[in-house]
Amino acid sequence: MSYVADSSASDGEFNRDTDYITTRITADGRDGYPVEAGRYRLVVARACPWANRTIIVRRLLGLEDALSIGFCGPTHDERSWTFDLDPDAVDPVLGIHYLRDAYDKRVPDYPKGVTVPAIVEVETGQVVTNDFAQITLDFSTEWSAHHREGAPQLYPEPLRDEIDEVAQRIYTEVNNGVYRCGFAGSQRAYERAYDRLFTALDWLEDRLADQRYLVGDTITEADVRLFTTLARFDPVYHGHFKCNRSKLSEMPALWAYARDLFQTPGFGDTTDFVQIKQHYYIVHSDINPTGVVPKGPDLSNWLSPHGREALGGRPFGDGTAPGPTREGERVPEAHSAG
């Protein structure tokens, strides 16, 4: 997510800039960056849905020892995400306040949006990649030597075509669809985006009515990609982005599915509702010029029984749940549901 990587077309339709730094970190190092424990730092912001995916996948696969993590604060200015949560507002490993510094080291006067997630090479201080869609796939496929024992198969080879197909529709129509509503520059563009979004949500509601997960009988990359948007739907997108045909809590299958994932280790314990609301309502001053952050909604219902076990499925397949969240990486209790 970025402060300038988004723009609106002349007809008022929101268009996302998808020109990322696509260098990959791979097992064979073919792009010059081999997978190596301790060499890189994953920089995220809990507020950002695209970054939240990487936090979830890193935790599910058990990459904590191989790949350190740095957390930016929930807000930023026109220049960059910043490490406001750290002592003296400086990342303790990279030694920088502005994430832009790591982008400028890779590309002097980096001309595009400073986005999270980003993976930074610690020794050089340079961003290696900010290609969020590829990062999590590579965690599953290229970083396998560093997976924990019992790590789930989030991108199993026999299901990759279906996962890719479902994930692509989720990206265009849901993940980006809420932004297309929120940043529409005309009534016509907004209504068109609104209709596209809820057509896709209705499709997902039908798909999840009789199957526990999106693809196969275990959690996959597709579920991770949908979850981070669903978690933000009622607290932010329903009101702030005018996605208000219905709340998530009024879509029975999707709501039960979202609670099922939220209550699964790796999902709810990486979701910070306070930072999520702070980011959208403070940073998007063109939409919310007062900067007032809403007090609601009540989040305790995220912990209510979901009943999805009756559909079968095994969350982690032949693997196991991740252990407790590491010290220093935990969401404050007051920032979660309950």
Side-chain angles (χ1 to χ4, degrees):
M1 183 188 293
S2 165
Y3 59 89
V4 294
D6 311 316
S7 60
S8 292
S10 58
D11 65 353
E13 182 173 342
F14 167 80
N15 290 313
R16 180 174 298 279
D17 186 341
T18 56
D19 186 12
Y20 299 105
I21 300 173
T22 56
T23 307
R24 290 176 63 189
I25 300 170
T26 57
D28 63 7
R30 57 186 176 272
D31 285 1
Y33 294 94
V35 170
E36 185 179 318
R39 180 168 174 171
Y40 309 100
R41 186 162 177 82
L42 173 64
V43 177
V44 298
R46 291 194 188 277
C48 170
W50 322 101
N52 198 173
R53 298 176 181 184
T54 63
I55 304 171
I56 293 170
V57 173
R58 173 180 174 271
R59 174 152 155 64
L60 293 179
L61 298 178
L63 292 174
E64 291 95 335
D65 288 337
L67 180 66
S68 68
I69 194 167
F71 293 96
C72 295
T75 62
H76 54 69
D77 59 19
E78 69 281 358
R79 290 167 290 180
S80 178
W81 290 91
T82 50
F83 294 94
D84 301 325
L85 306 176
D86 292 306
D88 299 320
V90 172
D91 180 85
V93 172
L94 301 176
I96 57 176
H97 171 62
Y98 291 106
L99 180 56
R100 170 168 288 282
D101 291 348
Y103 276 81
D104 287 344
K105 281 195 174 183
R106 175 69 188 272
V107 180
D109 297 319
Y110 185 72
K112 304 182 73 62
V114 173
T115 62
V116 289
I119 299 182
V120 180
E121 186 178 37
V122 174
E123 184 176 351
T124 64
Q126 297 181 1
V127 168
V128 178
T129 180
N130 65 342
D131 187 357
F132 65 89
Q134 190 63 48
I135 286 172
T136 49
L137 297 181
D138 284 345
F139 283 173
S140 283
T141 58
E142 302 293 336
W143 288 74
S144 57
H146 299 282
H147 289 181
R148 65 178 175 87
E149 185 177 353
Q153 295 290 318
L154 299 178
Y155 197 49
E157 198 158 354
L159 297 177
R160 286 181 189 176
D161 287 346
E162 186 177 2
I163 291 170
D164 290 347
E165 181 182 353
V166 170
Q168 180 61 24
R169 186 170 182 184
I170 288 170
Y171 169 72
T172 59
E173 305 305 299
V174 180
N175 300 146
N176 201 42
V178 293
Y179 287 86
R180 199 180 291 113
C181 290
F183 290 115
S186 70
Q187 188 69 33
R188 181 182 178 191
Y190 162 70
E191 292 185 8
R192 191 163 55 232
Y194 176 101
D195 290 342
R196 282 182 63 178
L197 170 64
F198 282 99
T199 294
L201 289 174
D202 288 342
W203 163 69
L204 288 164
E205 178 75 11
D206 290 342
R207 185 180 182 96
L208 291 165
D210 57 5
Q211 65 185 67
R212 191 170 179 186
Y213 304 112
L214 285 170
V215 182
D217 66 351
T218 65
I219 292 169
T220 67
E221 174 79 19
D223 298 296
V224 175
R225 294 188 180 199
L226 178 57
F227 172 79
T228 57
T229 295
L230 296 183
R232 289 156 177 76
F233 201 88
D234 287 2
V236 174
Y237 302 143
H238 180 270
H240 184 60
F241 278 177
K242 308 179 186 71
C243 303
N244 62 354
R245 189 199 74 178
S246 51
K247 296 178 180 177
L248 173 65
S249 58
E250 296 167 344
M251 294 180 268
L254 273 168
W255 174 225
Y257 164 83
R259 299 198 318 277
D260 187 4
L261 290 177
F262 185 87
Q263 295 169 33
T264 299
F267 289 85
D269 55 26
T270 63
T271 302
D272 188 317
F273 287 114
V274 170
Q275 288 195 26
I276 287 168
K277 290 195 296 183
Q278 288 174 338
H279 171 76
Y280 286 93
Y281 285 99
I282 294 173
V283 171
H284 297 162
S285 57
D286 50 342
I287 299 176
N288 186 45
T290 65
V292 172
V293 179
K295 191 172 181 179
D298 179 11
L299 300 168
S300 60
N301 54 1
W302 278 94
L303 299 177
S304 62
H306 52 76
R308 298 283 290 180
E309 304 94 335
L311 296 174
R314 302 171 300 150
F316 302 105
D318 294 329
T320 58
T325 307
R326 297 289 181 91
E327 185 71 33
E329 297 185 12
R330 296 172 188 157
V331 174
E333 189 174 341
H335 289 207
S336 190

